[in-house]
Amino acid sequence: MDSRRLISTPFTSSSTADDVLADHDLTGVRAIVTGASSGLGAETARALTAAGAEVTLAVRNTAAGDAVADTIRESTGAVRPRAVPLDLADRGSVARFVDAWSGPLHLLVNNAGVVTGGLERTHEGWELQFATNHLGHFALATGLHHALARGAADRDGARIVSVSSTAHMRSGVDFDDLHFERRAYHPQIAYAQSKTANSLFAVEATRLWASDGIVANAVNPGGVATGLQRNFTPEQQASLDAAEAAGVFTYKTLEQGSATTVVAAVAPEFAHSGGHYLDDGQEARTVPDDADLARHPHGVKEWALDPATAERLWTVSAELLGTS
């Protein structure tokens, strides 16, 4: 395991996004937040807008996105964000979003996520959680690479924030059966695989793009009650309740849950340092792959940061999307 000194910040589990942004003027920063029609995405977008950023809400439901944009405008008095359609499970939708983007991009927050109660597939036959949570964001980020590079050139760096989860500790990436074509389907394992992939993306994106001034970091927002849980089966809810009872996590508010995302987005400690996994505003300690979640609730497993695995996942993802 890595014995180097971990990157720390002044922020904690009780910090809010507004706390993190208190001394930041984001005027001129162009940001995209996926999944910003509710929950953590909406709060992240609100906080960034309040600090002066020009924010685009990338959402499946543009009516809900417009309602959030109106609320942000009314509550902050800042320039109203724009809501643009994006369905991460639809390659055509991602391509249209990328093609419509013009000018530099300084911050990409890959926040959107889906949880399913059973096996669902895209029209390509891909398992929906992996396709949405990882492949869709991979296609979006790689499609916007040149915009991010332009953003990095005019503001001394661009950043990508990849929203992962403690759930990554349940599973690595099964390259032999990414889409559950042979193994029995377990929605929690599928979700865990996608969240590990979110972290691995940050590792390889930083390796490939740091020379362009782009860094990517993964974050764990912690336990937050959002619409993500609406599709939970009784088994999934029971597992979540058991984890809470065991002290694996304590529920945060939306304002607290979005804080670590904003740390990765603006904190000077991560301006030129990527490939990390943050928890409660700090870089998390790496733990062995067989570590028990209850004993290491704020750790990150080795399989989520392994450079060789990250490189392999990037190659496989590009091949699946036909961009290799």
Side-chain angles (χ1 to χ4, degrees):
M1 288 189 295
D2 193 348
S3 59
R4 65 185 175 81
R5 185 173 182 176
L6 300 176
I7 299 173
S8 63
T9 76
F11 305 105
T12 68
S13 61
S14 62
S15 299
T16 67
D18 285 338
D19 293 336
V20 178
L21 288 163
D23 297 322
H24 291 269
D25 179 358
L26 300 187
T27 301
V29 171
R30 304 184 78 209
I32 295 170
V33 182
T34 69
S37 59
S38 64
L40 289 169
E43 172 56 20
T44 300
R46 183 208 62 77
L48 293 172
T49 302
E54 175 192 324
V55 179
T56 295
L57 315 180
V59 296
R60 282 191 301 171
N61 184 335
T62 51
D66 280 328
V68 168
D70 288 340
T71 299
I72 290 174
R73 172 68 180 89
E74 292 166 4
S75 65
T76 65
V79 175
R80 181 185 184 275
R82 63 187 186 122
V84 178
L86 175 67
D87 182 348
L88 290 163
D90 181 341
R91 285 192 286 174
S93 176
V94 176
R96 288 188 292 274
F97 185 98
V98 169
D99 289 344
W101 184 267
S102 61
L105 175 62
H106 307 103
L107 173 62
L108 173 61
V109 181
N110 289 334
N111 164 84
V114 64
V115 171
T116 64
L119 177 58
E120 297 183 43
R121 297 192 182 278
T122 66
H123 71 269
E124 295 93 351
W126 299 337
E127 190 276 320
L128 184 63
Q129 295 187 83
F130 186 78
T132 302
N133 301 348
H134 168 62
L135 289 174
H137 279 129
F138 178 89
L140 179 67
T142 53
L144 292 169
H145 171 235
H146 292 301
L148 286 160
R150 285 187 61 187
D154 68 23
R155 288 192 70 91
D156 189 31
R159 306 194 202 190
I160 303 172
V161 183
S162 186
V163 178
S164 184
S165 167
T166 302
H168 86 273
M169 298 186 80
R170 290 179 178 269
S171 176
V173 174
D174 187 341
F175 288 100
D176 294 326
D177 192 14
L178 282 174
H179 300 292
F180 292 83
E181 295 168 320
R182 292 176 295 279
R183 52 181 165 153
Y185 188 71
H186 193 300
Q188 288 173 291
I189 296 301
Y191 182 70
Q193 174 178 251
S194 75
K195 293 291 101 179
T196 291
N198 290 154
S199 181
L200 290 168
F201 166 81
V203 173
E204 185 64 2
T206 298
R207 186 184 75 83
L208 292 174
W209 295 347
S211 60
D212 297 321
I214 304 165
V215 296
N217 285 295
V219 302
N220 171 30
V224 184
T226 70
L228 195 66
Q229 291 92 25
R230 62 181 174 271
N231 293 323
F232 273 19
T233 64
E235 179 187 7
Q236 287 171 304
Q237 188 60 52
S239 176
L240 186 67
D241 293 343
E244 182 188 11
V248 172
F249 72 92
T250 300
Y251 275 106
K252 295 181 178 182
T253 65
L254 286 173
E255 293 81 5
Q256 293 168 335
S258 60
T260 300
T261 294
V262 176
V263 166
V266 306
E269 292 86 353
F270 296 98
H272 302 290
S273 187
H276 309 298
Y277 177 100
L278 284 62
D279 184 284
D280 287 346
Q282 315 294 320
E283 182 183 5
R285 185 171 301 283
T286 305
V287 299
D289 290 341
D290 61 357
D292 180 69
L293 173 59
R295 294 184 60 190
H296 301 279
H298 300 289
V300 54
K301 287 200 171 179
E302 292 175 321
W303 63 39
L305 294 177
D306 178 65
T309 306
E311 183 176 5
R312 183 181 182 187
L313 178 63
W314 191 283
T315 299
V316 169
S317 301
E319 289 173 349
L320 281 170
L321 291 164
T323 59
S324 58

